[in-house]
Amino acid sequence: MAVALKGGIRDRVLGAMVVVGLILLLTTPVVALFSMRQVLALATSYSLSIISLMGLLLTLFIAMSLLARDLEQGQVYTICSLPISRATYLLGKFFGFAILMFLAVAILGCFSAGALFVLERIHPAERAFGWGGFFIGLWFRYWVLLIVGAITILFSTVATSNFLPLALSVGVYLGSYSSEAVRYFIRTSAGQKELGAAVKLFGNAVYWILPNFSAFDLKAQIIYGVALNAGELLLTQLYAVGYLGVVLLLATLAFARREFR
Amino acid sequence: MKRIALLLVFVVLLVGNHVGLTGVRDARPPEARLGFYPPAPVIKALTADQYQFTSQLISLQCLFYFGTLVELRSQAPDWWRIYRAVYTSTRLDPYNMDAYYFAQAVLTWETGMTQQAIELLEHGFAHRTWDWYLPFYISFDYAFFLKDYEKAGMYLAKAAELKPEVEWYATLAARYFYEGGSTALALAYLEEMIPAARNEAIKKRLVTRAEAFEKVLQIEEAIAEYKERFQTNPEDLGRLVRAGLLERIPHDPYGGEFYLDEQGRVRTTSKLVPVEKIHGSHKN
């Protein structure tokens, strides 16, 4: 865990996030001024998009290199000779990644909140800005990144190239935001009539297998002040814990069986 | 030395071509300037959780496109393409108020796309249930453009319910709707729109329109006074001047001339669009 965290700090990840945060702080008011009717909403949308995009890039970059670096440099042989299990090693790596991502999201979130706080005073919205919703949204975004990171690590444990885990993780990420919409479409009369049985089965299978990231997306609630549903949030959190647990368990099983040459 | 010479060659190539490319791109026809947006479900699938910001980028793109053409006045906007882009934007993010405001500000007056604008606004109101602006806009469109006072009244009642502090919604509007007086309604509507207009191109248009309606209202008030005094309709606007009710015939800010039609209503030769303006294309 500490090694993964130090690796991230060595890569100057947090420093880079501070720089991105500063850019975010400076550009948010400029972007928001283009809005005709919803300055704060546009600023919030822009901030969350940047946090989301930076978080995803960082997740893919760190999670992909977590195992790859040790495998390439042969450090994994040394680690395997130590009196710790492969599962402990892998989970330690993941938790180091989790702490690093928490710090990265927190840094970006603080800079973003600073920009929004100032803008809220200059351009007050018709509805009061929900700070609670903003931080809850960031929290769920963090969980999306944790799951994406875990999935990337799972792919890394079985893949022999660096590119494959990256490509598969991006595919899973995009698919995870569409799976719910596809499932809704399958259930409509048009979907029932137009789609073949195999496509419907595939669409449903994708929905149940991939993480449903649409449930984690609270941007509409944050940006437009739409009420949050506490029950839904609780279920989403439990779903996230369950999904992460399953992916990490699969990753440890796959890593335990992996042969090193 | 060779490297510096080579660098200079590339710099000249880059700068020369960039200038040329900018000129070519500036001369693109309106259809090519706004770009193509795939259907909202496709964009949503490709942009994952970035669809809200993408929606706002599309509505901003419409604003830049419209603003540039209006400012330069060299090309007429492709209204239908603007409508399609705004439609896509609102399907991506049904809460995007900028898209609705833009649709209301530009699609209704000069394009005749009132029905399309209303459909967009109704879609917005189904999501932004707290927003009194949307039923207010819809109400105005039904009353002023479609003369459907029943639906206008219905939506204004919804706006009044959401914004009870604006008293005229609930009281004066009913009178405007049922007793005519659409000029006063238009002015009231524009007074709501102008302070919120942050974009200069749109603001300029709204201010000019408000000026025109003020002139129309001024003439209408003089006609009412004339009728009361002489118990007959004035034959032309010159009568109002000669009767001392108007100092002079007001100047139409759109460059046209005011006149009275057969029914005695105030009309202008500009039809409330800039007379030198080339009308844009749109398909219904």
Side-chain angles (χ1 to χ4, degrees):
Chain A
M1 187 168 81
V3 174
L5 192 58
K6 277 178 189 168
I9 293 166
R10 192 181 56 222
D11 288 337
R12 295 177 186 156
V13 166
L14 296 179
M17 284 306 106
V18 171
V19 173
V20 173
L22 276 171
I23 295 170
L24 192 63
L25 189 73
L26 294 173
T27 54
T28 301
V30 179
V31 173
L33 285 177
F34 287 114
S35 174
M36 290 172 278
R37 209 61 200 251
Q38 44 174 18
V39 173
L40 196 61
L42 179 56
T44 314
S45 175
Y46 170 73
S47 294
L48 292 174
S49 282
I50 297 293
I51 294 173
S52 170
L53 205 60
M54 285 300 129
L56 179 66
L57 290 176
L58 203 59
T59 297
L60 293 173
F61 168 71
I62 297 173
M64 206 180 67
S65 61
L66 268 184
L67 288 184
R69 194 177 281 174
D70 285 358
L71 287 170
E72 275 171 18
Q73 295 172 355
Q75 287 170 346
V76 75
Y77 303 110
T78 320
I79 293 159
C80 286
S81 65
L82 295 172
I84 54 161
S85 68
R86 288 190 185 186
T88 310
Y89 161 75
L90 193 76
L91 291 177
K93 283 262 177 192
F94 178 79
F95 286 115
F97 156 79
I99 293 170
L100 197 64
M101 288 312 299
F102 182 82
L103 293 173
V105 173
I107 290 170
L108 290 177
C110 286
F111 277 107
S112 172
L116 295 176
F117 183 79
V118 174
L119 273 174
E120 193 196 11
R121 259 125 204 93
I122 301 169
H123 303 280
E126 284 162 39
R127 306 178 107 191
F129 187 75
W131 286 102
F134 177 75
F135 289 111
I136 290 172
L138 284 183
W139 173 252
F140 279 99
R141 179 65 203 166
Y142 169 63
W143 274 88
V144 166
L145 299 176
L146 287 188
I147 292 172
V148 173
I151 289 170
T152 310
I153 291 171
L154 170 63
F155 289 140
S156 300
T157 57
V158 290
T160 49
S161 79
N162 282 346
F163 178 73
L164 196 64
L166 176 70
L168 288 174
S169 301
V170 171
V172 166
Y173 179 77
L174 291 177
S176 301
Y177 274 100
S178 309
S179 61
E180 191 178 75
V182 171
R183 182 169 163 266
Y184 285 146
F185 180 70
I186 291 171
R187 290 164 74 187
T188 61
S189 55
Q192 290 293 329
K193 208 165 70 180
E194 288 168 19
L195 301 176
V199 177
K200 280 187 252 182
L201 188 69
F202 179 73
N204 277 317
V206 164
Y207 173 77
W208 289 107
I209 293 170
L210 295 187
N212 180 10
F213 284 155
S214 303
F216 295 72
D217 185 6
L218 306 177
K219 282 212 198 78
Q221 288 90 328
I222 301 167
I223 299 167
Y224 303 109
V226 178
L228 292 165
N229 181 335
E232 192 183 331
L233 292 179
L234 182 65
L235 282 176
T236 307
Q237 182 63 73
L238 294 175
Y239 169 74
V241 172
Y243 202 97
L244 188 66
V246 169
V247 175
L248 285 178
L249 197 66
L250 287 175
T252 54
L253 288 174
F255 193 60
R257 284 161 202 268
R258 178 158 181 165
E259 287 181 16
F260 301 117
R261 289 173 192 166
Chain B
M1 193 62 200
K2 271 183 189 171
R3 280 188 192 175
I4 293 172
L6 202 61
L7 180 69
L8 280 174
V9 170
F10 278 110
V11 167
V12 170
L13 189 73
L14 173 69
V15 173
N17 276 295
H18 204 169
V19 171
L21 184 66
T22 306
V24 170
R25 289 190 64 78
D26 283 351
R28 278 176 303 160
E31 310 85 68
R33 293 175 76 95
L34 190 56
F36 168 77
Y37 298 106
V42 176
I43 299 179
K44 215 167 186 172
L46 291 173
T47 55
D49 66 327
Q50 303 287 320
Y51 64 90
Q52 267 125 348
F53 191 55
T54 309
S55 162
Q56 278 158 344
L57 285 180
I58 295 174
S59 55
L60 285 180
Q61 181 70 16
C62 290
L63 181 67
F64 293 148
Y65 169 77
F66 172 78
T68 309
L69 292 180
V70 168
E71 289 295 313
L72 297 177
R73 284 274 183 95
S74 55
Q75 292 173 324
D78 183 334
W79 297 114
W80 186 251
R81 210 165 282 262
I82 288 181
Y83 165 68
R84 291 299 312 167
V86 175
Y87 179 88
T88 304
S89 173
T90 57
R91 259 53 187 180
L92 269 179
D93 179 5
Y95 295 95
N96 183 356
M97 187 57 192
D98 275 346
Y100 300 118
Y101 182 79
F102 179 78
Q104 178 63 14
V106 307
L107 285 182
T108 47
W109 294 91
E110 290 159 52
T111 68
M113 297 174 87
T114 309
Q115 198 58 53
Q116 283 90 342
I118 287 175
E119 279 166 22
L120 286 174
L121 297 170
E122 283 174 338
H123 178 70
F125 189 43
H127 292 85
R128 295 178 65 94
T129 49
W130 67 90
D131 195 335
W132 54 275
Y133 279 109
L134 291 169
F136 173 57
Y137 295 163
I138 299 169
S139 162
F140 176 78
D141 291 345
Y142 271 122
F144 193 81
F145 297 109
L146 302 182
K147 311 293 178 204
D148 186 341
Y149 298 119
E150 196 185 327
K151 279 190 177 160
M154 191 182 85
Y155 276 104
L156 201 66
K158 286 180 183 176
E161 209 175 294
L162 293 168
K163 190 78 175 171
E165 52 269 43
V166 184
E167 287 174 9
W168 70 266
Y169 279 3
T171 54
L172 291 180
R175 202 186 80 206
Y176 290 140
F177 285 153
Y178 293 109
E179 296 175 11
S182 58
T183 309
L185 175 63
L187 263 176
Y189 160 81
L190 289 165
E191 277 163 15
E192 292 282 353
M193 290 283 279
I194 290 167
R198 300 176 50 81
N199 178 267
E200 275 311 308
I202 289 180
K203 191 166 198 162
K204 208 169 139 187
R205 293 216 150 186
L206 295 177
V207 168
T208 310
R209 189 155 286 129
E211 275 173 25
F213 276 108
E214 273 169 18
K215 304 279 167 63
V216 173
L217 192 63
Q218 193 187 346
I219 300 171
E220 283 179 351
E221 282 169 358
I223 291 170
E225 180 71 27
Y226 186 94
K227 280 183 189 169
E228 204 175 308
R229 200 183 289 180
F230 301 105
Q231 300 300 313
T232 181
N233 286 326
E235 287 165 17
D236 53 40
L237 296 180
R239 292 263 176 189
L240 300 173
V241 178
R242 287 194 289 280
L245 296 170
L246 282 178
E247 208 172 292
R248 57 177 174 273
I249 299 172
H251 168 70
D252 175 7
Y254 285 104
E257 282 178 18
F258 288 113
Y259 65 95
L260 292 179
D261 70 4
E262 297 80 24
Q263 280 82 40
R265 286 178 303 208
V266 182
R267 291 283 180 263
T268 165
T269 52
S270 70
K271 294 182 180 167
L272 298 182
V273 286
V275 286
E276 73 275 21
K277 181 180 153 38
I278 312 157
H279 285 275
S281 62
H282 88 270
K283 300 157 203 164
N284 274 309

